[in-house]
Amino acid sequence: MTERIYYGDPYAKAFEARVVERLEWNGHPAVVLDRTAFYPTGGGQPYDTGLLNAVPVLEVVERDGDGAVVHLVGEPLESVQVEGRIDWEHRFDLMQQHTGQHILSAAFLDRFGANTVGFHLSDDYATIDLDQAPLSAEDLAAAEALANSIVFDNHPVGARFVPDEEVSQLRLRKPLAHTGPVRVVEISEFDRSACGGTHVQATGEIGLIKITRSERRGSETRVEFLCGN
């Protein structure tokens, strides 16, 4: 199984690794490495982009069955040893957006008892789906204000893997449907959630959280928002 560097250090911009498998994936040459800082699509977060030995990384996916991280590349990689470099501007934007989502979801739960039932990140915006409708402009403003107060207070953000026997003792924002070990992301004094994504190390790095629009979808509300840059 691929060692995922981003779990221990989401700020790692470059790394060295060894090719352990070469294959074709969706019509593109691809490689599996023994270790990687590239995040594969999953949990509502898009994949990282960047370079392997100056070759563009087109997509990163997790293979079903063995959990290997597959890197689709622009041309075949011939060498066994590779140097990887992620697109840091893209990655940090996703870290801001993903951590901002945790805060905004917790704010809606705190203020209105609205649970997040869906989440999506893109290069242009992020959305959360809440199990409550309607939500007024005043409701949105109140959640946004609480979220930004958490940003400005610069709470530390931590992540750790929790063994199975401890999972039931955690007060997670959303109960788990499976057992551990589970990776838990905690925003000090505000939120604790199971999550495999990449996040900033303190809420002040997120920058402003701004709700840009909302849409009622039956009994749910979709909230679109932006963070940071």
Side-chain angles (χ1 to χ4, degrees):
M1 181 177 291
T2 309
E3 176 192 346
R4 305 187 186 216
I5 298 169
Y6 53 81
Y7 278 157
D9 183 9
Y11 290 81
K13 303 174 185 178
F15 66 99
E16 294 182 351
R18 182 171 55 87
V19 176
V20 296
E21 182 181 352
R22 291 181 172 87
L23 65 159
E24 184 175 285
W25 194 280
N26 291 339
H28 291 280
V31 293
V32 176
L33 308 175
D34 64 339
R35 60 198 301 268
T36 186
F38 283 87
Y39 183 87
T41 299
Q45 180 173 324
Y47 58 87
D48 284 323
T49 56
L51 301 171
L52 288 175
N53 282 1
V55 174
V57 175
L58 306 178
E59 187 179 357
V60 188
V61 298
E62 181 178 337
R63 185 165 61 190
D64 291 337
D66 64 354
V69 178
V70 180
H71 307 72
L72 283 69
V73 288
E75 61 185 70
L77 282 170
E78 302 298 336
S79 61
V80 174
Q81 295 296 128
V82 297
E83 180 180 351
R85 186 169 296 275
I86 66 169
D87 180 340
W88 175 248
E89 183 177 355
H90 179 248
R91 155 68 77 79
F92 189 66
D93 176 66
L94 294 175
M95 290 165 63
Q96 289 177 308
Q97 305 285 344
H98 202 155
T99 316
Q101 176 266 314
H102 281 232
I103 293 174
L104 195 57
S105 289
F108 275 107
L109 181 62
D110 180 272
R111 286 291 183 261
F112 309 108
N115 293 287
T116 295
V117 294
F119 161 55
H120 177 71
L121 280 179
S122 76
D123 291 336
D124 301 314
Y125 61 89
T127 63
I128 55 174
D129 294 330
L130 302 165
D131 64 354
Q132 200 172 116
L135 289 170
S136 68
E138 291 76 14
D139 295 338
L140 299 177
E144 180 184 274
L146 175 57
N148 280 307
S149 74
I150 300 301
V151 170
F152 299 147
D153 286 343
N154 201 29
H155 291 256
V157 180
R160 64 187 179 99
F161 280 94
V162 177
D164 184 27
E165 59 270 18
E166 293 183 23
V167 171
S168 61
Q169 302 171 22
L170 297 176
R171 297 184 61 184
L172 299 177
R173 172 162 38 88
K174 184 178 181 180
L176 291 176
H178 57 86
T179 58
V182 173
R183 186 169 182 265
V184 173
V185 175
E186 183 172 7
I187 299 169
S188 179
E189 302 177 15
F190 190 66
D191 184 53
R192 186 184 292 123
S193 302
C195 183
T198 58
H199 301 82
V200 298
Q201 61 188 0
T203 59
E205 294 186 48
I206 296 168
L208 185 69
I209 297 175
K210 179 61 182 175
I211 294 174
T212 55
R213 65 186 298 268
S214 66
E215 174 188 5
R216 181 169 182 173
R217 301 166 67 88
S219 60
E220 299 178 358
T221 301
R222 174 161 292 177
V223 175
E224 186 177 304
F225 67 97
L226 300 172
C227 298
N229 292 329

Tab-separated table of all heavy atoms in Angstrom, residues 136-185:
chain	number	residue	atom	x	y	z
A	136	SER	N	-33.088	31.322	5.936
A	136	SER	CA	-33.226	32.714	5.510
A	136	SER	C	-31.862	33.360	5.304
A	136	SER	O	-30.821	32.825	5.699
A	136	SER	CB	-34.002	33.506	6.558
A	136	SER	OG	-33.245	33.626	7.754
A	137	ALA	N	-31.879	34.544	4.704
A	137	ALA	CA	-30.642	35.313	4.541
A	137	ALA	C	-30.034	35.629	5.904
A	137	ALA	O	-28.804	35.642	6.062
A	137	ALA	CB	-30.930	36.602	3.771
A	138	GLU	N	-30.873	35.858	6.897
A	138	GLU	CA	-30.383	36.133	8.249
A	138	GLU	C	-29.721	34.889	8.846
A	138	GLU	O	-28.706	35.000	9.555
A	138	GLU	CB	-31.534	36.597	9.142
A	138	GLU	CG	-32.086	37.979	8.801
A	138	GLU	CD	-32.973	37.994	7.565
A	138	GLU	OE1	-33.399	36.889	7.110
A	138	GLU	OE2	-33.238	39.092	7.043
A	139	ASP	N	-30.299	33.714	8.570
A	139	ASP	CA	-29.703	32.465	9.051
A	139	ASP	C	-28.309	32.267	8.436
A	139	ASP	O	-27.348	31.916	9.135
A	139	ASP	CB	-30.580	31.267	8.677
A	139	ASP	CG	-31.933	31.290	9.374
A	139	ASP	OD1	-32.050	31.952	10.424
A	139	ASP	OD2	-32.859	30.636	8.858
A	140	LEU	N	-28.208	32.487	7.132
A	140	LEU	CA	-26.924	32.333	6.449
A	140	LEU	C	-25.890	33.296	7.011
A	140	LEU	O	-24.727	32.926	7.235
A	140	LEU	CB	-27.093	32.564	4.946
A	140	LEU	CG	-28.039	31.608	4.188
A	140	LEU	CD1	-28.151	32.036	2.734
A	140	LEU	CD2	-27.570	30.173	4.292
A	141	ALA	N	-26.314	34.529	7.253
A	141	ALA	CA	-25.398	35.539	7.784
A	141	ALA	C	-24.920	35.174	9.182
A	141	ALA	O	-23.754	35.389	9.531
A	141	ALA	CB	-26.082	36.904	7.787
A	142	ALA	N	-25.808	34.601	9.986
A	142	ALA	CA	-25.433	34.211	11.350
A	142	ALA	C	-24.408	33.081	11.336
A	142	ALA	O	-23.434	33.098	12.101
A	142	ALA	CB	-26.673	33.792	12.134
A	143	ALA	N	-24.611	32.086	10.464
A	143	ALA	CA	-23.648	30.987	10.362
A	143	ALA	C	-22.314	31.485	9.829
A	143	ALA	O	-21.254	31.084	10.314
A	143	ALA	CB	-24.202	29.884	9.465
A	144	GLU	N	-22.371	32.357	8.850
A	144	GLU	CA	-21.140	32.919	8.290
A	144	GLU	C	-20.363	33.711	9.339
A	144	GLU	O	-19.132	33.601	9.431
A	144	GLU	CB	-21.478	33.806	7.096
A	144	GLU	CG	-20.285	34.444	6.418
A	144	GLU	CD	-20.724	35.380	5.298
A	144	GLU	OE1	-20.932	34.892	4.175
A	144	GLU	OE2	-20.856	36.596	5.560
A	145	ALA	N	-21.059	34.480	10.137
A	145	ALA	CA	-20.398	35.274	11.180
A	145	ALA	C	-19.723	34.380	12.210
A	145	ALA	O	-18.587	34.644	12.642
A	145	ALA	CB	-21.407	36.199	11.847
A	146	LEU	N	-20.404	33.310	12.632
A	146	LEU	CA	-19.796	32.382	13.585
A	146	LEU	C	-18.567	31.726	12.976
A	146	LEU	O	-17.521	31.599	13.628
A	146	LEU	CB	-20.813	31.324	14.013
A	146	LEU	CG	-20.279	30.210	14.922
A	146	LEU	CD1	-19.643	30.774	16.192
A	146	LEU	CD2	-21.393	29.220	15.269
A	147	ALA	N	-18.670	31.299	11.709
A	147	ALA	CA	-17.545	30.648	11.048
A	147	ALA	C	-16.334	31.570	10.992
A	147	ALA	O	-15.199	31.163	11.292
A	147	ALA	CB	-17.948	30.216	9.640
A	148	ASN	N	-16.549	32.825	10.649
A	148	ASN	CA	-15.428	33.758	10.548
A	148	ASN	C	-14.842	34.105	11.918
A	148	ASN	O	-13.642	34.391	12.031
A	148	ASN	CB	-15.845	35.015	9.799
A	148	ASN	CG	-15.836	34.797	8.292
A	148	ASN	OD1	-14.836	34.360	7.732
A	148	ASN	ND2	-16.953	35.094	7.638
A	149	SER	N	-15.658	34.050	12.963
A	149	SER	CA	-15.102	34.270	14.300
A	149	SER	C	-14.127	33.160	14.671
A	149	SER	O	-13.118	33.399	15.345
A	149	SER	CB	-16.232	34.371	15.331
A	149	SER	OG	-16.814	33.099	15.606
A	150	ILE	N	-14.398	31.937	14.215
A	150	ILE	CA	-13.478	30.819	14.450
A	150	ILE	C	-12.191	31.016	13.648
A	150	ILE	O	-11.089	30.723	14.125
A	150	ILE	CB	-14.153	29.484	14.094
A	150	ILE	CG1	-15.408	29.256	14.957
A	150	ILE	CG2	-13.179	28.328	14.260
A	150	ILE	CD1	-15.147	29.227	16.451
A	151	VAL	N	-12.326	31.529	12.432
A	151	VAL	CA	-11.143	31.836	11.625
A	151	VAL	C	-10.276	32.871	12.325
A	151	VAL	O	-9.064	32.700	12.499
A	151	VAL	CB	-11.553	32.339	10.223
A	151	VAL	CG1	-10.345	32.894	9.480
A	151	VAL	CG2	-12.206	31.230	9.419
A	152	PHE	N	-10.899	33.971	12.738
A	152	PHE	CA	-10.142	35.080	13.311
A	152	PHE	C	-9.513	34.718	14.662
A	152	PHE	O	-8.476	35.277	15.042
A	152	PHE	CB	-11.028	36.307	13.457
A	152	PHE	CG	-11.585	36.802	12.152
A	152	PHE	CD1	-12.841	37.395	12.096
A	152	PHE	CD2	-10.873	36.659	10.975
A	152	PHE	CE1	-13.351	37.843	10.895
A	152	PHE	CE2	-11.392	37.100	9.762
A	152	PHE	CZ	-12.632	37.700	9.716
A	153	ASP	N	-10.106	33.768	15.390
A	153	ASP	CA	-9.534	33.325	16.659
A	153	ASP	C	-8.334	32.393	16.466
A	153	ASP	O	-7.655	32.056	17.434
A	153	ASP	CB	-10.601	32.610	17.499
A	153	ASP	CG	-11.600	33.586	18.109
A	153	ASP	OD1	-11.301	34.793	18.157
A	153	ASP	OD2	-12.688	33.135	18.526
A	154	ASN	N	-8.103	31.970	15.236
A	154	ASN	CA	-6.928	31.187	14.862
A	154	ASN	C	-6.770	29.917	15.706
A	154	ASN	O	-5.704	29.629	16.262
A	154	ASN	CB	-5.655	32.041	14.971
A	154	ASN	CG	-4.512	31.480	14.136
A	154	ASN	OD1	-4.733	30.836	13.121
A	154	ASN	ND2	-3.286	31.737	14.567
A	155	HIS	N	-7.841	29.127	15.764
A	155	HIS	CA	-7.804	27.858	16.490
A	155	HIS	C	-6.852	26.878	15.811
A	155	HIS	O	-6.803	26.798	14.582
A	155	HIS	CB	-9.199	27.229	16.521
A	155	HIS	CG	-10.185	27.972	17.358
A	155	HIS	ND1	-10.585	27.539	18.599
A	155	HIS	CD2	-10.866	29.124	17.140
A	155	HIS	CE1	-11.468	28.389	19.111
A	155	HIS	NE2	-11.648	29.362	18.228
A	156	PRO	N	-6.102	26.081	16.571
A	156	PRO	CA	-5.271	25.039	15.967
A	156	PRO	C	-6.132	23.948	15.340
A	156	PRO	O	-7.240	23.658	15.817
A	156	PRO	CB	-4.454	24.501	17.142
A	156	PRO	CG	-5.212	24.891	18.362
A	156	PRO	CD	-5.932	26.161	18.033
A	157	VAL	N	-5.616	23.353	14.281
A	157	VAL	CA	-6.287	22.253	13.581
A	157	VAL	C	-5.353	21.054	13.607
A	157	VAL	O	-4.184	21.157	13.214
A	157	VAL	CB	-6.611	22.631	12.123
A	157	VAL	CG1	-7.304	21.463	11.404
A	157	VAL	CG2	-7.465	23.891	12.062
A	158	GLY	N	-5.843	19.922	14.094
A	158	GLY	CA	-5.020	18.726	14.181
A	158	GLY	C	-5.707	17.530	13.557
A	158	GLY	O	-6.933	17.514	13.389
A	159	ALA	N	-4.922	16.513	13.196
A	159	ALA	CA	-5.475	15.282	12.618
A	159	ALA	C	-4.715	14.088	13.180
A	159	ALA	O	-3.500	14.155	13.385
A	159	ALA	CB	-5.364	15.308	11.102
A	160	ARG	N	-5.444	13.005	13.451
A	160	ARG	CA	-4.810	11.793	13.958
A	160	ARG	C	-5.684	10.588	13.627
A	160	ARG	O	-6.898	10.723	13.376
A	160	ARG	CB	-4.619	11.868	15.473
A	160	ARG	CG	-5.907	11.934	16.283
A	160	ARG	CD	-5.632	12.176	17.764
A	160	ARG	NE	-6.861	12.270	18.537
A	160	ARG	CZ	-7.375	11.270	19.257
A	160	ARG	NH1	-6.752	10.098	19.291
A	160	ARG	NH2	-8.485	11.432	19.954
A	161	PHE	N	-5.059	9.422	13.584
A	161	PHE	CA	-5.794	8.179	13.394
A	161	PHE	C	-6.204	7.638	14.766
A	161	PHE	O	-5.389	7.566	15.685
A	161	PHE	CB	-4.942	7.154	12.659
A	161	PHE	CG	-4.899	7.377	11.174
A	161	PHE	CD1	-3.882	8.110	10.600
A	161	PHE	CD2	-5.900	6.868	10.363
A	161	PHE	CE1	-3.838	8.335	9.245
A	161	PHE	CE2	-5.873	7.084	8.992
A	161	PHE	CZ	-4.842	7.818	8.427
A	162	VAL	N	-7.468	7.286	14.883
A	162	VAL	CA	-8.033	6.820	16.150
A	162	VAL	C	-8.340	5.330	16.021
A	162	VAL	O	-9.019	4.903	15.077
A	162	VAL	CB	-9.322	7.599	16.487
A	162	VAL	CG1	-9.940	7.070	17.767
A	162	VAL	CG2	-9.023	9.088	16.600
A	163	PRO	N	-7.846	4.492	16.951
A	163	PRO	CA	-8.121	3.061	16.880
A	163	PRO	C	-9.591	2.750	17.134
A	163	PRO	O	-10.322	3.545	17.713
A	163	PRO	CB	-7.232	2.471	17.975
A	163	PRO	CG	-6.976	3.601	18.910
A	163	PRO	CD	-6.973	4.850	18.082
A	164	ASP	N	-9.975	1.564	16.715
A	164	ASP	CA	-11.372	1.148	16.772
A	164	ASP	C	-11.967	1.295	18.167
A	164	ASP	O	-13.085	1.782	18.336
A	164	ASP	CB	-11.473	-0.307	16.299
A	164	ASP	CG	-12.908	-0.796	16.225
A	164	ASP	OD1	-13.802	0.044	16.022
A	164	ASP	OD2	-13.143	-2.006	16.362
A	165	GLU	N	-11.214	0.918	19.194
A	165	GLU	CA	-11.777	0.916	20.551
A	165	GLU	C	-12.037	2.325	21.080
A	165	GLU	O	-12.763	2.496	22.061
A	165	GLU	CB	-10.853	0.160	21.508
A	165	GLU	CG	-9.437	0.708	21.613
A	165	GLU	CD	-8.491	0.089	20.603
A	165	GLU	OE1	-8.989	-0.492	19.616
A	165	GLU	OE2	-7.272	0.200	20.810
A	166	GLU	N	-11.449	3.349	20.443
A	166	GLU	CA	-11.659	4.725	20.903
A	166	GLU	C	-12.726	5.476	20.117
A	166	GLU	O	-13.193	6.524	20.556
A	166	GLU	CB	-10.346	5.508	20.824
A	166	GLU	CG	-9.265	5.040	21.783
A	166	GLU	CD	-8.019	5.893	21.701
A	166	GLU	OE1	-8.131	7.063	21.263
A	166	GLU	OE2	-6.932	5.408	22.060
A	167	VAL	N	-13.111	4.961	18.948
A	167	VAL	CA	-14.019	5.695	18.064
A	167	VAL	C	-15.345	5.993	18.747
A	167	VAL	O	-15.878	7.102	18.658
A	167	VAL	CB	-14.250	4.905	16.754
A	167	VAL	CG1	-15.351	5.553	15.924
A	167	VAL	CG2	-12.966	4.833	15.951
A	168	SER	N	-15.885	5.013	19.457
A	168	SER	CA	-17.198	5.196	20.077
A	168	SER	C	-17.174	6.242	21.184
A	168	SER	O	-18.219	6.773	21.580
A	168	SER	CB	-17.710	3.861	20.634
A	168	SER	OG	-16.829	3.367	21.629
A	169	GLN	N	-15.980	6.569	21.700
A	169	GLN	CA	-15.871	7.543	22.780
A	169	GLN	C	-15.768	8.976	22.268
A	169	GLN	O	-15.870	9.928	23.046
A	169	GLN	CB	-14.638	7.219	23.632
A	169	GLN	CG	-14.650	5.815	24.223
A	169	GLN	CD	-13.324	5.459	24.866
A	169	GLN	OE1	-12.541	6.325	25.241
A	169	GLN	NE2	-13.047	4.158	24.988
A	170	LEU	N	-15.564	9.126	20.967
A	170	LEU	CA	-15.420	10.467	20.395
A	170	LEU	C	-16.786	11.096	20.149
A	170	LEU	O	-17.731	10.423	19.733
A	170	LEU	CB	-14.647	10.399	19.074
A	170	LEU	CG	-13.211	9.901	19.148
A	170	LEU	CD1	-12.639	9.799	17.747
A	170	LEU	CD2	-12.361	10.820	20.003
A	171	ARG	N	-16.870	12.382	20.360
A	171	ARG	CA	-18.099	13.112	20.044
A	171	ARG	C	-17.903	13.767	18.678
A	171	ARG	O	-17.544	14.930	18.558
A	171	ARG	CB	-18.389	14.153	21.122
A	171	ARG	CG	-18.656	13.549	22.496
A	171	ARG	CD	-19.033	14.613	23.502
A	171	ARG	NE	-20.236	15.324	23.120
A	171	ARG	CZ	-20.739	16.365	23.794
A	171	ARG	NH1	-20.113	16.816	24.864
A	171	ARG	NH2	-21.848	16.956	23.392
A	172	LEU	N	-18.147	12.971	17.633
A	172	LEU	CA	-17.974	13.457	16.275
A	172	LEU	C	-19.207	14.218	15.821
A	172	LEU	O	-20.335	13.915	16.236
A	172	LEU	CB	-17.719	12.286	15.322
A	172	LEU	CG	-16.474	11.443	15.596
A	172	LEU	CD1	-16.414	10.277	14.618
A	172	LEU	CD2	-15.210	12.279	15.510
A	173	ARG	N	-18.986	15.208	14.946
A	173	ARG	CA	-20.122	15.983	14.424
A	173	ARG	C	-21.105	15.080	13.682
A	173	ARG	O	-22.316	15.264	13.774
A	173	ARG	CB	-19.609	17.091	13.489
A	173	ARG	CG	-20.717	17.821	12.742
A	173	ARG	CD	-20.291	19.152	12.170
A	173	ARG	NE	-18.961	19.179	11.632
A	173	ARG	CZ	-18.637	18.863	10.372
A	173	ARG	NH1	-19.568	18.441	9.541
A	173	ARG	NH2	-17.383	18.952	9.963
A	174	LYS	N	-20.588	14.098	12.962
A	174	LYS	CA	-21.439	13.162	12.230
A	174	LYS	C	-21.091	11.751	12.671
A	174	LYS	O	-19.938	11.329	12.536
A	174	LYS	CB	-21.217	13.311	10.719
A	174	LYS	CG	-22.115	12.441	9.873
A	174	LYS	CD	-21.866	12.702	8.388
A	174	LYS	CE	-22.787	11.839	7.529
A	174	LYS	NZ	-22.559	12.094	6.081
A	175	PRO	N	-22.056	10.987	13.211
A	175	PRO	CA	-21.768	9.624	13.667
A	175	PRO	C	-21.253	8.759	12.520
A	175	PRO	O	-21.626	8.929	11.357
A	175	PRO	CB	-23.131	9.126	14.166
A	175	PRO	CG	-23.908	10.365	14.466
A	175	PRO	CD	-23.453	11.386	13.464
A	176	LEU	N	-20.375	7.810	12.853
A	176	LEU	CA	-19.791	6.936	11.846
A	176	LEU	C	-20.639	5.700	11.628
A	176	LEU	O	-21.232	5.161	12.554
A	176	LEU	CB	-18.388	6.510	12.280
A	176	LEU	CG	-17.315	7.601	12.292
A	176	LEU	CD1	-16.022	7.040	12.847
A	176	LEU	CD2	-17.092	8.162	10.895
A	177	ALA	N	-20.636	5.242	10.369
A	177	ALA	CA	-21.351	4.024	10.034
A	177	ALA	C	-20.398	2.832	9.976
A	177	ALA	O	-20.800	1.735	9.629
A	177	ALA	CB	-22.054	4.189	8.691
A	178	HIS	N	-19.115	3.042	10.285
A	178	HIS	CA	-18.124	1.968	10.243
A	178	HIS	C	-17.186	2.107	11.435
A	178	HIS	O	-17.193	3.101	12.152
A	178	HIS	CB	-17.328	2.021	8.937
A	178	HIS	CG	-16.648	3.336	8.702
A	178	HIS	ND1	-15.406	3.641	9.197
A	178	HIS	CD2	-17.061	4.453	8.030
A	178	HIS	CE1	-15.064	4.859	8.833
A	178	HIS	NE2	-16.049	5.381	8.127
A	179	THR	N	-16.371	1.079	11.639
A	179	THR	CA	-15.446	1.075	12.767
A	179	THR	C	-14.084	1.623	12.351
A	179	THR	O	-13.843	1.905	11.186
A	179	THR	CB	-15.284	-0.345	13.309
A	179	THR	OG1	-14.813	-1.205	12.257
A	179	THR	CG2	-16.607	-0.874	13.834
A	180	GLY	N	-13.193	1.766	13.337
A	180	GLY	CA	-11.885	2.334	13.099
A	180	GLY	C	-10.914	1.319	12.503
A	180	GLY	O	-11.293	0.192	12.215
A	181	PRO	N	-9.632	1.700	12.323
A	181	PRO	CA	-9.122	3.029	12.684
A	181	PRO	C	-9.673	4.126	11.770
A	181	PRO	O	-9.892	3.894	10.584
A	181	PRO	CB	-7.605	2.874	12.529
A	181	PRO	CG	-7.452	1.782	11.524
A	181	PRO	CD	-8.577	0.837	11.764
A	182	VAL	N	-9.899	5.280	12.363
A	182	VAL	CA	-10.514	6.392	11.656
A	182	VAL	C	-9.629	7.625	11.798
A	182	VAL	O	-9.130	7.907	12.895
A	182	VAL	CB	-11.924	6.692	12.224
A	182	VAL	CG1	-12.503	7.962	11.597
A	182	VAL	CG2	-12.856	5.523	11.966
A	183	ARG	N	-9.442	8.348	10.722
A	183	ARG	CA	-8.694	9.607	10.796
A	183	ARG	C	-9.661	10.712	11.211
A	183	ARG	O	-10.692	10.930	10.574
A	183	ARG	CB	-8.049	9.945	9.460
A	183	ARG	CG	-7.131	11.175	9.500
A	183	ARG	CD	-6.328	11.264	8.215
A	183	ARG	NE	-5.415	12.392	8.213
A	183	ARG	CZ	-5.688	13.577	7.679
A	183	ARG	NH1	-6.866	13.796	7.121
A	183	ARG	NH2	-4.805	14.545	7.700
A	184	VAL	N	-9.312	11.397	12.296
A	184	VAL	CA	-10.173	12.436	12.855
A	184	VAL	C	-9.465	13.783	12.744
A	184	VAL	O	-8.290	13.914	13.114
A	184	VAL	CB	-10.514	12.130	14.327
A	184	VAL	CG1	-11.258	13.296	14.971
A	184	VAL	CG2	-11.336	10.850	14.414
A	185	VAL	N	-10.179	14.771	12.223
A	185	VAL	CA	-9.675	16.143	12.136
A	185	VAL	C	-10.409	16.964	13.186
A	185	VAL	O	-11.645	16.971	13.229
A	185	VAL	CB	-9.904	16.729	10.732
A	185	VAL	CG1	-9.502	18.203	10.683
A	185	VAL	CG2	-9.126	15.931	9.695
